[in-house]
Amino acid sequence: MLKAHSSVTALLRYTGISIPDKVATCRNITCMQHLFGAVRWRSKFTAAPLLTAQPARALIDEQIAIQGRFLPPHWPVTVRAHMHSEEGDLWEAFSHYKTNENGVVNLTTDHSVGGSYVGCEPMGLFWALQPAPSAREGLRLRKKDVETPYVVQLSLWEGHVSSSKRPIEDEQTAGRLAASTVERWYMTPHTRRVEIRQNGIVGTLFLPSGPGPFPAMVDLWGMGGGLNEYRSALFASKGIASLSLAYFGHKDIPGPLDELNVGDDYFRSAYNLLQDHPEVCGERIGLIGLSYGVYLVLRMATHIGVKPMCVIGINGPLGSYDKFPGIKSGDVVNYQMLDEHGNFSLRHFTMPSMIPKENQIKFEMLECPLLCIVGEDDYNCASMETANEIEEILRAAGKAQLFTRLSYPGAGHLIEPPYSPNARVSLWTVKPKKINAIWGGHPAPHAAAQEDAWKKMLDFIEYNLRK
């Protein structure tokens, strides 16, 4: 300690700092560490455990680097993620690790040995989120207010724990070592959200920051109805204007909520509205649809006189099957669209052989590239059979070069932006009776499919709308 004292005193004299002898000779020289990083000394104190997550604020498709430090070496620890949905339901995920010889756990490089997933999955705590045991049944996590983030709490725990083994919702429970918070956004700060209620069109337009005109997408979802904005918001955050378009089950569209009350004129008007927008490059517009939205965007591209530059279809049918749309909630049971477990499924009804020829898309009329994304574990739509049929039709028409397929084993129906939790089964309707829809998909391969498909979708859009 005398040696340390003489070194500090000499350093103070060299820098010209005047300090009383009694301070210079003090055994506690912690303040010197702040002033002079090169000063080292032994201490009986160790740093408290630390959990870091960087960046703490990011878009939903960006990776977060999570690391725990200042822990005992070769020590079992749990990293937990939890958040509350906009409806107030608790979602959580757990991963189990052992620290390395330096007392560090790094989720980017280390393998989880248990919990909600196993293996090296840097974003596993996000895509593995599931409703807590106390939450309601049949939940699906979907962002409604895209102008606010998901706020995810991360925490570091001693030992390997999970909600099924011991309750840890109380953050004061013994064993919690450190915590951190991250924000997950669908919109960058200067992305603009514009509600559209014009000429009967119901939608939301998202515009990137900066000067336009921008390439653009028309974004359609499935027969779940309503207005889903989060994919469009993320497109705009990547520099692509996007119109999220409602067509079914929305209060601002005239007619019964449980019936499809719009036709070709509605979709043509929506396309033209986007094409004529002063901040959109009218010659560089693409279409994207999921589920029944696939049929609609393919119909737009081939039957109603608009000329998109590209189309993306995610797990959808090649035509409209009899008695649907126009199906009412009570008709689900009548049409026997339930599987052996009582879950709603349209897989059988979307087989190409089940769709009358007069209701099928005339793919020989397609003039733009089509990216077909298939979840091979899709339990709600005959996606693989549909992709096979489309490819065969285009090949016979001499247009095979327009077709690209991305096919993912273990992925289900709901292939969404990266790191979104998959719901294999979720609530479909409560009237006249409670019925769940089965979507399919296994957590890890479905998450891998979402990550890969999103990157390739963006590449596809960039190539076809900016070339």
Side-chain angles (χ1 to χ4, degrees):
M1 196 64 192
L2 291 175
K3 188 174 182 179
H5 161 65
S6 60
S7 299
V8 173
T9 304
L11 185 57
L12 291 173
R13 288 172 180 165
Y14 176 78
T15 56
I17 298 176
S18 176
I19 186 168
D21 288 342
K22 63 180 180 179
V23 176
T25 58
C26 178
R27 284 180 171 271
N28 184 2
I29 57 172
T30 303
C31 60
M32 296 301 102
Q33 182 187 27
H34 179 72
L35 291 171
F36 309 108
V39 177
R40 297 289 185 267
W41 67 94
R42 294 183 179 273
S43 172
K44 65 180 180 180
F45 298 104
T46 58
L50 179 66
L51 182 67
T52 59
Q54 296 295 332
R57 177 178 296 171
L59 286 174
I60 200 80
D61 65 337
E62 296 176 7
Q63 284 201 6
I64 302 293
I66 303 171
Q67 188 177 80
R69 292 183 288 161
F70 306 122
L71 299 163
H74 310 296
W75 208 46
V77 294
T78 295
V79 185
R80 178 203 186 203
H82 78 276
M83 57 166 281
H84 286 87
S85 68
E86 289 165 312
E87 295 78 20
D89 296 292
L90 176 65
W91 291 67
E92 60 183 357
F94 302 82
S95 53
H96 298 163
Y97 297 91
K98 277 197 173 182
T99 60
N100 65 16
E101 63 275 10
N102 298 316
V104 174
V105 58
N106 186 339
L107 273 62
T108 303
T109 57
D110 294 346
H111 284 65
S112 171
V113 297
S116 301
Y117 60 91
V118 294
C120 183
E121 298 286 353
M123 294 297 289
L125 285 174
F126 299 93
W127 58 251
L129 285 166
Q130 289 295 308
S134 59
R136 295 173 295 151
E137 294 183 1
L139 296 178
R140 177 182 171 193
L141 189 63
R142 307 185 80 183
K143 198 74 175 75
K144 295 180 179 179
D145 181 3
V146 296
E147 294 182 297
T148 62
Y150 283 133
V151 179
V152 183
Q153 307 291 336
L154 302 172
S155 49
L156 183 65
W157 296 78
E158 178 182 351
H160 289 164
V161 297
S162 68
S163 60
S164 62
K165 292 184 178 179
R166 82 188 215 198
I168 62 172
E169 174 57 16
D170 180 0
E171 291 299 328
Q172 301 304 315
T173 300
R176 179 173 176 267
L177 305 171
S180 186
T181 301
V182 296
E183 294 182 358
R184 308 288 287 155
W185 291 83
Y186 282 95
M187 286 178 62
T188 53
H190 300 293
T191 299
R192 290 164 288 164
R193 178 183 177 274
V194 183
E195 290 190 6
I196 303 295
R197 302 292 187 274
Q198 181 178 335
N199 299 328
I201 305 303
V202 178
T204 306
L205 176 61
F206 291 88
L207 295 166
S209 60
F214 305 102
M217 298 292 290
V218 178
D219 187 0
L220 297 181
W221 291 78
M223 289 299 289
L227 182 56
N228 300 300
E229 300 182 351
Y230 50 94
R231 187 167 60 198
S232 283
L234 194 54
F235 276 143
S237 298
K238 302 294 179 181
I240 305 156
S242 188
L243 174 62
S244 191
L245 185 63
Y247 63 89
F248 173 81
H250 194 283
K251 62 181 179 59
D252 292 337
I253 296 177
L257 287 176
D258 56 359
E259 293 185 10
L260 184 62
N261 304 297
V262 298
D264 290 345
D265 288 344
Y266 178 84
F267 297 103
R268 185 185 301 110
S269 296
Y271 186 94
N272 291 339
L273 182 150
L274 184 61
Q275 189 175 44
D276 295 339
H277 194 282
E279 294 187 69
V280 168
C281 183
E283 301 302 316
R284 298 181 181 273
I285 296 177
L287 311 174
I288 182 171
L290 176 130
S291 193
Y292 193 75
V294 175
Y295 162 68
L296 293 175
V297 296
L298 288 170
R299 183 172 179 82
M300 290 174 69
T302 55
H303 289 73
I304 69 172
V306 302
K307 296 185 179 300
M309 295 291 290
C310 63
V311 178
I312 300 173
I314 307 170
N315 290 329
L318 55 71
S320 177
Y321 25 95
D322 282 347
K323 299 183 179 180
F324 190 89
I327 185 172
K328 297 183 179 180
S329 299
D331 293 329
V332 171
V333 177
N334 295 339
Y335 295 154
Q336 299 178 352
M337 294 178 177
L338 305 181
D339 68 5
E340 64 273 20
H341 302 293
N343 296 319
F344 174 72
S345 172
L346 290 172
R347 177 167 171 73
H348 172 70
F349 291 85
T350 55
M351 287 286 185
S353 60
M354 292 291 292
I355 300 176
K357 287 292 184 182
E358 63 271 20
N359 291 359
Q360 294 184 15
I361 298 295
K362 294 180 172 59
F363 288 98
E364 61 273 15
M365 299 174 63
L366 187 69
E367 299 294 340
C368 67
L370 167 63
L371 177 62
C372 192
I373 297 172
V374 175
E376 295 183 14
D377 194 51
D378 186 348
Y379 271 68
N380 204 267
C381 184
S383 303
M384 290 181 64
E385 293 82 357
T386 296
N388 292 339
E389 185 77 5
I390 294 172
E391 186 172 19
E392 184 177 330
I393 294 171
L394 289 175
R395 183 183 295 113
K399 295 184 176 183
Q401 75 281 0
L402 296 180
F403 183 81
T404 302
R405 183 201 309 228
L406 301 176
S407 191
Y408 297 101
H413 187 69
L414 302 172
I415 296 179
E416 302 198 81
Y419 316 128
S420 305
N422 180 49
R424 186 174 179 84
V425 177
S426 70
L427 183 65
W428 175 258
T429 184
V430 294
K431 295 179 180 180
K433 61 182 292 187
K434 183 178 179 181
I435 297 175
N436 290 327
I438 180 167
W439 310 110
H442 301 281
H446 189 90
Q450 290 188 148
E451 185 174 6
D452 185 73
W454 180 250
K455 292 175 182 176
K456 290 176 178 174
M457 278 195 288
L458 292 178
D459 289 343
F460 181 80
I461 292 169
E462 288 289 323
Y463 180 80
N464 287 288
L465 299 190
R466 295 193 196 270
K467 65 180 180 180

